[in-house]
Amino acid sequence: QVQLVESGGGLVQAGGSLRLSCAASGRSFSAYTMAWFRQAPGKEREFVASIRWSSGNMDYAESMKGRFTIARDNTENTISLQMNNLKPEDTAVYYCAARLFGSRNPKDYGYWGQGTQVTVSS
């Protein structure tokens, strides 16, 4: 079974930055897409960004472009999410996920981590 573990969440002031990490284990991810989603209380799980493991091709939700950056480390099977200029609306639990081929729909993903809380204060 694939294991995904998120880390790096915490409390930050508006305008600040955080870097989230997702460590993957259990199999090779060379043919997979890795993605970040987020979910705030009372809201649906929302696509943030994804990266194709082999090619490095990236996809971002429109509201994240210019503020968030996704990256991969092939040696350590890790993906990161660099979040800059954070807003209170970014407060949510952030989840790492994996699937074969790319998608923005959380229903298409079969592997999930437990999530890491990000809180952005005013």
Side-chain angles (χ1 to χ4, degrees):
Q1 185 177 16
V2 174
Q3 302 289 330
L4 302 172
V5 181
E6 303 93 337
S7 63
L11 177 64
V12 64
Q13 295 182 18
S17 299
L18 282 174
R19 182 181 177 89
L20 306 183
S21 294
C22 174
S25 63
R27 65 175 64 184
S28 173
F29 291 89
S30 61
Y32 281 76
T33 292
M34 307 290 290
W36 288 97
F37 292 81
R38 68 185 186 184
Q39 188 166 24
K43 297 183 179 180
E44 296 182 353
R45 191 161 295 189
E46 176 188 25
F47 172 78
V48 175
S50 68
I51 184 168
R52 185 70 175 175
W53 196 266
S54 295
S55 67
N57 288 347
M58 294 172 284
D59 183 31
Y60 295 93
E62 189 66 29
S63 62
M64 318 301 173
K65 292 180 180 178
R67 297 194 301 127
F68 292 6
T69 304
I70 190 169
R72 76 188 194 281
D73 185 324
N74 287 325
T75 301
E76 299 185 11
N77 288 338
T78 301
I79 61 168
S80 65
L81 184 70
Q82 179 66 45
M83 304 185 292
N84 298 324
N85 192 25
L86 284 162
K87 306 173 182 179
E89 302 81 65
D90 296 319
T91 296
V93 177
Y94 285 71
Y95 297 91
C96 180
R99 78 180 296 270
L100 187 64
F101 305 115
S103 175
R104 293 188 175 192
N105 191 338
K107 296 181 180 179
D108 293 332
Y109 284 75
Y111 303 103
W112 291 90
Q114 292 299 115
T116 182
Q117 177 69 49
V118 171
T119 303
V120 185
S121 65
S122 301

